[in-house]
Amino acid sequence: MSTIDPVFTLINQEETRQREGLELIPSENYVSKNVLRAAGSVLTNKYSEGYPSFEGIEGDSKSFWSEEKIAAEKLGNFRYYGGQDNVDKIERLAISRACRLFHADHANVQPHSGANANEAVYWAWCRPGDTILAMSLPAGGHLTHGSPVTRSAHIYNFVGYGVDETGDIDYKELERIAITEQPKIILVGYSAFMKIPDFDRVARIAKKIPGCLLMADMAHVAGLIAGGVHPNPLDHGFHVMTTTTHKTLRGPRGGLILSKGNVASPLKKPEHTLENIPILIDRAVFPGTQGGPLEHIIAAKAVAFGEALEPEFKIYAKNIVKNAKTLATELKSLGFTLQGDGTENHLILIDIKKSFGFDGKFFERALDRVGLNLNANSLPTDKGAAFRPSGVRLGTPAVTTRGLGETEMKQIAKWMRRVADICAGVGVEERLDDATEELEGIRKEVKLLASKYPVPVL
Ligand code: DSN
């Protein structure tokens, strides 16, 4: 008698969850069939520690080297295993497409995640004890930007800047701390921030600090940058940009590092200069912080970058922002208090405590029951435990991929208000079962709408 491995039963259940619900977590998305195909390919069988070489390239920028040539030509490599012909070409395509997409001189496509990408950049430019200036976690920064629970925070001296009363970066504070602390890196980039950073202003501040690397962690907005609806820090004097590839960029789960500067073999240790940051980064990723690259994921990244280079991706990026603005306006009109009073990108942060008196986790769990998924999130003013924050964070990249538009954004806001009223009515999470019938009614409405906008691969 054959039995089905429960792993596959659970994958089937996850497919149903994704199909029947609406994904509002701003860092999630739905990949295309081709991205999924590459990620699930036989490339997972291959070891390829090291890098493909670009030697033999003509012209001064790899980014314009033709894809046909990359796919056809046999070049050298700096690998530690044989059998590299195909993975070398695939990785070169990923690098070349990433450079074109983000106007970079160099791309390292090997980081397994955004956290790994950030750690590699720190290691490329800093040594233990060096100072890094980044936005603090409660203000909207990311764990890997210096939270005391991370390894990096034990190696480097992180100092934090915050936001002002409008929810924007406190640029004056940033400048004051930068001048006092003389950081080796100034880091701009956030996981709960709804404004567009003034990259030029930060670049002017960094110019006052000798040897300061300007780094942008654009994980949340990389797809908006690729789609031309958000400024690109590399066009505004930044040396390095890190990102994940699975958020607005709509690729497989993974990381990416883009940089400006000299590109050369990573085998020879270069001089420690800002111009050599691409080579220093290659050495910091492998062998500095990672082993064998995930070539199946690199192939899926290449596919996703190719998709993001298509004209339709620009429309997609524009629609993400349009949907987010509509959703924010509707939420406000229904009594929700928004951090920053709205949004300029794909992300909305609601002060749910101020709006209705209960915390973000309670609201997240109640919304889970109706098939609307978002996440509880700390606010800059939060002092309590991170597990019971005052806010929730939501966004529109995934629902925009499914084709939902402004009418549906207004409907989502209305469902959220109905669920907020249910939460206020029952008072505590433990009593949500008292409202099962009402919640089930909303869940059916969500499921009906979701059925009209299929998930791309389901
Ligand atoms: N966990 C990601 C997010 O949700 O923003 C950041 O890495």
Side-chain angles (χ1 to χ4, degrees):
M1 195 176 76
S2 70
T3 55
I4 295 177
D5 186 329
V7 169
F8 293 101
T9 311
L10 291 166
I11 290 175
N12 288 342
Q13 284 174 18
E14 175 61 13
E15 285 181 0
T16 304
R17 187 194 71 79
Q18 293 194 15
R19 190 187 299 115
E20 295 184 352
L22 292 175
E23 191 53 71
L24 295 166
I25 293 174
S27 47
E28 295 191 11
N29 214 327
Y30 305 105
V31 297
S32 70
K33 203 170 167 182
N34 284 341
V35 168
L36 201 58
R37 183 171 161 229
S41 69
V42 293
L43 290 162
T44 196
N45 298 336
K46 189 74 197 94
Y47 247 127
S48 51
E49 277 160 329
Y51 292 101
S53 162
F54 274 86
E55 271 162 32
I57 193 171
E58 283 155 29
D60 57 3
S61 169
K62 290 171 182 52
S63 34
F64 297 104
W65 211 40
S66 90
E67 294 209 349
E68 291 72 25
K69 197 169 173 189
I70 293 175
E73 286 216 354
K74 188 170 167 61
L75 296 173
N77 63 33
F78 315 111
R79 303 281 200 188
Y80 292 82
Y81 291 83
Q84 299 294 329
D85 282 5
N86 300 312
V87 294
D88 276 356
K89 287 170 188 165
I90 289 168
E91 192 164 332
R92 278 191 203 103
L93 279 173
I95 291 167
S96 170
R97 288 178 186 176
C99 287
R100 267 166 63 203
L101 199 53
F102 294 105
H103 315 160
D105 293 329
H106 182 58
N108 188 306
V109 296
Q110 294 192 1
H112 303 326
S113 69
N116 289 31
N118 286 344
E119 274 216 49
V121 176
Y122 303 155
W123 190 238
W125 193 240
C126 299
R127 282 298 163 263
D130 282 352
T131 297
I132 300 174
L133 174 58
M135 189 186 271
S136 64
L137 182 63
H142 187 251
L143 274 172
T144 58
H145 301 174
S147 165
V149 297
T150 62
R151 180 175 52 172
S152 301
H154 292 266
I155 301 174
Y156 310 108
N157 170 41
F158 280 90
V159 284
Y161 59 92
V163 291
D164 62 21
E165 60 290 344
T166 70
D168 206 351
I169 297 168
D170 190 338
Y171 292 98
K172 283 193 183 143
E173 184 191 37
L174 190 160
E175 177 159 15
R176 184 181 54 71
I177 301 174
I179 300 296
T180 314
E181 300 283 344
Q182 297 285 300
K184 281 272 165 50
I185 296 179
I186 294 181
L187 173 50
V188 169
Y190 320 101
S191 56
F193 186 64
M194 67 308 293
K195 306 267 184 195
I196 293 180
D198 185 343
F199 295 116
D200 288 328
R201 186 164 177 183
V202 181
R204 284 197 299 276
I205 295 169
K207 277 224 163 70
K208 299 178 187 174
I209 299 150
C212 179
L213 179 87
L214 267 175
M215 173 179 174
D217 177 348
M218 294 289 102
H220 265 264
V221 294
L224 304 185
I225 294 171
V229 296
H230 189 288
N232 180 347
L234 295 181
D235 293 339
H236 293 266
F238 276 60
H239 306 103
V240 177
M241 171 174 146
T242 58
T243 180
T244 49
T245 46
H246 50 269
K247 298 188 174 91
T248 46
L249 197 49
R250 213 163 57 180
R253 306 199 77 75
L256 169 69
I257 309 173
L258 301 137
S259 52
K260 291 276 198 188
N262 301 327
V263 184
S265 159
L267 289 181
K268 193 165 158 259
K269 193 174 178 190
E271 232 186 296
H272 194 79
T273 63
L274 284 171
E275 290 72 32
N276 284 337
I277 197 69
I279 316 162
L280 294 166
I281 285 169
D282 274 353
R283 292 170 63 90
V285 172
F286 176 81
T289 51
Q290 284 192 178
L294 311 176
E295 291 296 343
H296 54 307
I297 297 301
I298 289 173
K301 288 174 186 173
V303 173
F305 301 154
E307 290 174 356
L309 283 162
E310 294 296 325
E312 299 80 55
F313 199 84
K314 287 196 170 11
I315 301 167
Y316 167 60
K318 211 166 136 194
N319 286 339
I320 293 176
V321 177
K322 191 156 73 164
N323 277 344
K325 285 180 191 280
T326 302
L327 182 54
T329 305
E330 193 68 12
L331 285 167
K332 263 168 60 177
S333 77
L334 292 173
F336 289 86
T337 304
L338 308 189
Q339 180 75 7
D341 200 38
T343 184
E344 295 176 358
N345 55 27
H346 64 301
L347 182 147
I348 298 164
L349 198 54
I350 301 176
D351 188 337
I352 200 72
K353 191 95 174 179
K354 193 166 172 187
S355 311
F356 300 105
F358 46 83
D359 70 48
K361 204 69 196 169
F362 182 13
F363 196 42
E364 174 199 296
R365 289 195 173 132
L367 285 165
D368 263 353
R369 291 207 185 195
V370 303
L372 295 175
N373 304 121
L374 45 60
N375 66 282
N377 211 94
S378 294
L379 299 175
T381 45
D382 265 337
K383 300 275 180 284
F387 285 113
R388 307 271 2 162
S390 308
V392 291
R393 188 187 69 150
L394 68 161
T396 52
V399 285
T400 307
T401 293
R402 283 174 86 157
L404 275 69
E406 292 180 272
T407 309
E408 292 75 31
M409 295 305 116
K410 290 178 186 166
Q411 180 57 61
I412 288 170
K414 289 190 181 80
W415 283 324
M416 286 175 63
R417 176 64 212 235
R418 279 165 64 192
V419 174
D421 287 340
I422 291 170
C423 291
V426 298
V428 288
E429 206 175 304
E430 291 69 32
R431 284 196 48 215
L432 267 179
D433 282 345
D434 295 355
T436 297
E437 208 175 310
E438 226 179 320
L439 289 166
E440 190 55 24
I442 301 172
R443 197 186 70 80
K444 282 192 179 128
E445 291 175 33
V446 171
K447 188 174 159 185
L448 182 65
L449 182 75
S451 70
K452 295 180 185 153
Y453 296 91
V455 173
V457 293
L458 295 176

